Amino acid sequence: MSRRPAVIYGTAFALSLVALLVSYFPFVWLLIRYQTWRLGHPNPFVIGPELDAIWCSLLAGVIVFWFVVKRAKRNRTQ
């Protein structure tokens, strides 16, 4: 890593939070569309798509964090 790991991890954390917040709404929309297609109607009593969207957006945030840290490591060696 570089001499300033706090900057790298802080940037990675901030970008992963942005990715988490931005990716949540498309995942909810896609999963509710999928539920509507499978059931023929959206079921208002099921919170499954919202919970699944939370896990998908968390995974997107982790992936963004990993890519930012990996890129910082690669730039240090060049």
Side-chain angles (χ1 to χ4, degrees):
M1 301 286 285
S2 73
R3 296 179 192 159
R4 300 177 68 144
V7 172
I8 293 170
Y9 284 114
T11 304
F13 181 72
L15 289 175
S16 67
L17 281 179
V18 169
L20 184 133
L21 293 174
V22 170
S23 67
Y24 174 74
F25 296 108
F27 281 128
V28 168
W29 182 79
L30 287 172
L31 291 169
I32 289 176
R33 286 287 185 181
Y34 178 73
Q35 179 188 26
T36 303
W37 173 72
R38 294 282 292 163
L39 295 175
H41 60 84
N43 188 352
F45 303 107
V46 175
I47 60 170
E50 287 83 6
L51 292 176
D52 292 338
I54 289 171
W55 288 112
C56 291
S57 62
L58 282 174
L59 181 63
V62 168
I63 290 170
V64 167
F65 183 86
W66 181 72
F67 275 123
V68 170
V69 171
K70 182 179 174 184
R71 183 169 171 90
K73 283 184 180 180
R74 186 180 65 190
N75 285 343
R76 186 198 82 177
T77 60
Q78 291 178 352

